[in-house]
Amino acid sequence: MRTREIPAGEWSGFLESLSERAGDRPVDIRVESPDMGDQELATGMPLIGITCAEKGGDSEAIALTVAGEPGRGKLTHLIDQPEHLWVQEDDDGRVAVLDIEDRAQVKTLVFFPST
């Protein structure tokens, strides 16, 4: 496994490409907050997409969207003011974990279980 940080100027393209490659793949989402502790947001839910909203070259928000339970629509988790985006890849170059840290040092971890 290797971990690398994605430069902020490349976030939009990287996330768009990841969404295309990993669409419908089940993911687990966990938020780690210094103030509120760890929280599981999703387990084994199909990824719909990860998008980056930019203004003036800076990313203002990243939205993670997964399919909800049958009949319940979808779940979107918004990360305001992201500052870092790391990706951990397996030996074959597939994304294993996406780690997004915001200005308040809250981490959102997206796990892509191997199939």
Side-chain angles (χ1 to χ4, degrees):
M1 294 258 185
R2 84 176 179 130
T3 301
R4 62 186 173 101
E5 184 168 8
I6 306 300
E10 298 175 16
W11 289 359
S12 185
F14 174 82
L15 294 173
E16 181 179 322
S17 175
L18 177 60
S19 292
E20 289 174 8
R21 290 188 324 253
D24 293 331
R25 189 170 164 194
V27 296
D28 301 333
I29 302 173
R30 182 174 71 217
V31 175
E32 297 178 353
S33 168
D35 295 332
M36 299 187 313
D38 297 355
Q39 299 177 1
E40 296 290 331
L41 294 183
T43 303
M45 299 177 113
L47 178 68
I48 292 175
I50 306 172
T51 58
C52 184
E54 296 181 12
K55 184 176 181 182
D58 293 328
S59 179
E60 292 187 355
I62 293 175
L64 302 168
T65 304
V66 294
E69 300 292 327
R72 293 197 175 216
K74 55 189 173 182
L75 167 73
T76 298
H77 173 66
L78 189 64
I79 302 156
D80 286 320
Q81 301 177 329
E83 290 196 336
H84 299 281
L85 189 151
W86 289 275
V87 61
Q88 185 179 58
E89 298 167 322
D90 66 16
D91 295 334
D92 294 324
R94 290 183 302 247
V95 174
V97 181
L98 189 64
D99 178 346
I100 306 164
E101 186 173 330
D102 69 16
R103 188 168 290 160
Q105 297 181 339
V106 174
K107 286 187 176 189
T108 298
L109 302 168
V110 183
F111 297 90
F112 294 82
S114 58
T115 55

